[in-house]
Amino acid sequence: MKAIRNLTALMEEAREREQAGNLDIAAALYQRIVDKDPANRDAVRRLLMVYRRLKEYRKELAVVDAAMNAVARRDKATRESWLAAHPEAAKLGKAMLKSLGGAQEAAYGTDSFVQQLLKRKQLVERKISGVKGKRARKEQPAAPADKSVAVKKKEQAVELRRQAAERKKRQVEARRAAKQVAAEQPSLFVIFLRYLVSLEKIDAVMEKHVAFLDKYFASGEFLVSGRQVPRTGGIIIARGRDRAAVERITKQDPFIKGRLASVDIVEFKASKKGKGVQGWMKR
């Protein structure tokens, strides 16, 4: 608790310094918080903003990289902890993934915070490259005697335009490749429901739960559902725009709203499916 209070006090002081325009001091205070907790989203966002105003792009890039690594470590630890605590569900999930053709895990999941960091990293790297380019141009030797200054400047302008066109081309190709991968490997979700009350209480709400399932089967979000064996909960295979969208849907389940069951969600990328999937569903 003392450590939390210390971080809270540092955060308040950093905000006051930032609002007063003391950016160097604010940056030092935010940096202390981030050094202790690289995944502290509020501190990371404020520190990036301050470094941006100070034009400390290399420090900003270091904060982005540290935050992304911290999120990756946190997600890995959470996933491993959940798998260790739910061996039966993990085994069922692996079997389902195998029947659907395997899975491919994203490096950072679908965390919107990480997506923001990735975008900022690209911008900062471009700024750093731009600064290097300016310095290089300033340090260029004088034009040879046989070329006028105007000719030299024209050649430099042509080269800069060529480099800019190449960068734009690579960015377009990268975006096209990312869209193709996303289209070929849509996200699917295995939703594990675990009952927290007696089956009598579960059955009393079953009609509402079935209506909830029918709603999302009709809209296309739910693909498969059924009871666990033995009957300790249920399984739903779903698809969605992202994890946050699926989480919002599960919160509408009467079992969850009534605190009759807990929910765990595993996201995976479907890359293949076998002919047996459709045949199995017709039985």
Side-chain angles (χ1 to χ4, degrees):
M1 292 297 294
K2 184 177 180 180
I4 295 175
R5 287 197 299 270
N6 289 341
L7 290 178
T8 301
L10 277 176
M11 192 72 180
E12 291 176 355
E13 184 180 354
R15 285 184 180 277
E16 291 175 0
R17 295 288 189 174
E18 181 184 356
Q19 292 171 1
N22 300 323
L23 298 184
D24 289 328
I25 298 177
L29 293 171
Y30 284 132
Q31 188 67 62
R32 287 174 60 187
I33 299 173
V34 171
D35 288 343
K36 294 180 180 179
D37 182 8
N40 187 314
R41 301 189 178 201
D42 290 338
V44 167
R45 288 191 178 102
R46 297 315 311 166
L47 181 56
L48 293 177
M49 183 67 70
V50 172
Y51 278 151
R52 198 173 312 164
R53 294 174 63 184
L54 292 171
K55 296 186 178 180
E56 294 281 3
Y57 300 127
R58 293 188 183 281
K59 292 182 180 180
E60 187 178 357
L61 183 60
V63 174
V64 170
D65 288 337
M68 289 173 59
N69 290 335
V71 171
R73 290 194 300 270
R74 179 206 63 192
D75 289 352
K76 181 179 180 182
T78 300
R79 184 167 56 254
E80 290 177 350
S81 175
W82 186 90
L83 291 174
H86 303 80
E88 293 184 2
K91 183 177 180 181
L92 178 61
K94 289 180 180 178
M96 182 62 69
L97 298 184
K98 184 176 180 181
S99 71
L100 291 173
Q104 179 176 336
E105 188 175 314
Y108 299 98
T110 56
D111 194 322
S112 61
F113 178 57
V114 172
Q115 301 308 314
Q116 295 169 7
L117 292 176
L118 286 170
K119 290 180 181 179
R120 187 59 200 168
K121 181 174 181 177
Q122 294 175 351
L123 291 174
V124 173
E125 287 177 338
R126 286 201 294 269
K127 284 183 177 293
I128 292 174
S129 298
V131 170
K132 287 181 178 179
K134 290 179 180 178
R135 289 175 179 170
R137 290 194 294 275
K138 288 180 180 179
E139 295 170 358
Q140 284 178 353
D146 59 343
K147 286 191 176 182
S148 67
V149 174
V151 172
K152 186 67 174 178
K153 287 184 177 180
K154 184 176 180 180
E155 290 177 350
Q156 291 175 352
V158 171
E159 177 62 18
L160 289 173
R161 286 196 295 271
R162 186 192 67 77
Q163 292 177 4
E166 286 292 329
R167 286 196 298 271
K168 184 175 182 180
K169 181 180 178 181
R170 289 195 295 269
Q171 292 170 1
V172 170
E173 290 175 349
R175 286 195 293 269
R176 186 182 296 117
K179 289 181 180 179
Q180 183 177 355
V181 170
E184 293 174 353
Q185 299 179 338
S187 283
L188 294 177
F189 302 83
V190 183
I191 303 171
F192 298 92
L193 296 176
R194 182 169 62 86
Y195 297 151
L196 303 176
V197 297
S198 65
L199 291 178
E200 288 78 8
K201 293 182 179 180
I202 291 294
D203 289 337
V205 189
M206 184 59 69
E207 185 175 347
K208 294 181 179 179
H209 173 69
V210 171
F212 159 77
L213 294 175
D214 290 342
K215 175 182 177 180
Y216 288 100
F217 272 116
S219 62
E221 277 87 359
F222 288 174
L223 305 177
V224 182
S225 70
R227 297 175 177 178
Q228 293 188 32
V229 180
R231 192 183 172 193
T232 57
I235 299 290
I236 303 172
I237 305 297
R239 61 183 175 186
R241 183 175 64 256
D242 51 36
R243 185 185 183 90
V246 175
E247 289 177 346
R248 286 193 294 271
I249 290 175
T250 58
K251 289 179 181 179
Q252 300 175 32
D253 188 338
F255 287 169
I256 305 304
K257 292 173 69 175
R259 298 183 179 180
L260 306 179
S262 64
V263 62
D264 290 301
I265 301 174
V266 174
E267 178 180 0
F268 68 98
K269 294 286 186 180
S271 57
K272 293 180 64 179
K273 69 176 181 178
K275 295 181 180 179
V277 172
Q278 293 182 344
W280 171 72
M281 288 297 295
K282 291 178 181 178
R283 295 177 190 176

